[in-house]
Amino acid sequence: MYRILEHTMINLVLFGPPGSGKGTQAQKIIEKYGLVHISTGDLFRYEMSHDTPLGQQAKAYIAKGELVPDSVTIGMLRNKVEAHPDAKGFIFDGFPRTIAQAEALDALLLEKGTAVMALIALQVHDQEIVKRIKLRGATSGRTDDSDEEIIRNRISVYKNETSPVFDYYASKGKSHSVNGIGSIDEIFGRLVDVIDQTAVAARA
Ligand code: UDP
Ligand code: MG
């Protein structure tokens, strides 16, 4: 039995609407599997807090709940991936958010001799999402978490531009969904089941 090179890395796309728990679960997944966490939203917030040129570019889009242009986001993502040449795998959180970003990610990983192993979507309904984001906004200091109109816009951007990414990886047999309602540990257990199953299948 031989192993294809791409299968030696565990590269996961953690998917789902804003406020679905991606950041929280990504933290637990990297601890268990020793992966590198890349959250493009966190990277943008870091750049904005240091008022870098990249942060200045992203700011206006984020304030409105719109997407930062693909070229900007993809370039930032590439830098981050290349900063970790020895990673056992990556967990992509909040990226890719468009089909063009998914195609760019696939091309980048192919260039590195690897691929996305699985996309896992956290399923949470709109009403719960709005509730969670507002709760987070009360303490996060994120202005895009405090205004209901911006939150609604983020949800509609997700539905229109981001949700097709699920179908894109589904057509490659890589998309999975888990129920994103429950305790943090319950949801983590569901994610671990999917990760372990797909990792075993990839090594068969
Ligand atoms: N954003 C973006 N591209 C990305 C990541 C983030 O345009 O790849 C912007 C977008 O405006 C989004 C905001 O940053 O609404 C916050 O993203 P984040 O992923 O942190 O929010 P979450 O979806 O986790 O609530
Ligand atoms: Mg997040």
Side-chain angles (χ1 to χ4, degrees):
M1 212 184 297
Y2 72 95
R3 284 184 187 183
I4 297 169
L5 189 58
E6 71 172 59
H7 294 147
T8 60
M9 279 179 99
I10 297 183
N11 295 315
L12 303 169
V13 174
L14 194 54
F15 198 73
S20 56
K22 301 185 293 292
T24 303
Q25 294 296 337
Q27 209 48 50
K28 294 177 70 74
I29 295 169
I30 59 165
E31 280 167 26
K32 181 170 168 72
Y33 295 94
L35 308 178
V36 174
H37 179 206
I38 302 185
S39 159
T40 44
D42 289 349
L43 293 173
F44 283 129
R45 279 184 288 280
Y46 176 86
E47 299 289 334
M48 290 191 293
S49 72
H50 291 77
D51 204 26
T52 63
L54 183 58
Q56 288 168 8
Q57 254 182 307
K59 206 171 177 169
Y61 298 97
I62 291 175
K64 287 183 280 190
E66 299 291 333
L67 293 186
V68 179
D70 285 342
S71 59
V72 175
T73 308
I74 290 164
M76 179 177 75
L77 190 276
R78 170 183 281 273
N79 287 338
K80 196 69 186 175
V81 167
E82 291 183 341
H84 295 277
D86 299 324
K88 277 174 64 182
F90 293 97
I91 172 150
F92 300 101
D93 160 4
F95 181 94
R97 265 176 150 90
T98 62
I99 296 278
Q101 290 180 8
E103 288 169 348
L105 176 63
D106 285 353
L108 173 64
L109 293 179
L110 186 63
E111 202 183 288
K112 312 283 175 206
T114 186
V116 167
M117 186 183 84
L119 173 150
I120 314 177
L122 290 166
Q123 286 185 312
V124 182
H125 53 81
D126 289 3
Q127 197 193 332
E128 173 72 14
I129 284 166
V130 175
K131 195 178 95 188
R132 287 189 195 176
I133 295 177
K134 282 181 164 172
L135 202 66
R136 180 171 74 183
T139 54
S140 69
R142 281 179 57 174
T143 51
D144 64 336
D145 279 350
S146 307
D147 179 322
E148 177 137 359
E149 204 178 316
I150 296 169
I151 296 170
R152 296 271 173 206
N153 191 39
R154 287 164 61 196
I155 294 171
S156 86
V157 168
Y158 176 78
K159 286 183 178 157
N160 296 329
E161 298 185 56
T162 304
S163 66
V165 172
F166 183 92
D167 305 315
Y168 173 87
Y169 284 109
S171 76
K172 299 172 188 284
K174 292 182 174 178
S175 290
H176 307 263
S177 292
V178 306
N179 179 359
I181 304 282
S183 73
I184 289 173
D185 286 333
E186 274 166 358
I187 298 164
F188 181 58
R190 294 170 195 153
L191 291 168
V192 166
D193 286 346
V194 174
I195 295 166
D196 290 349
Q197 277 166 25
T198 53
V200 167
R203 289 193 170 89

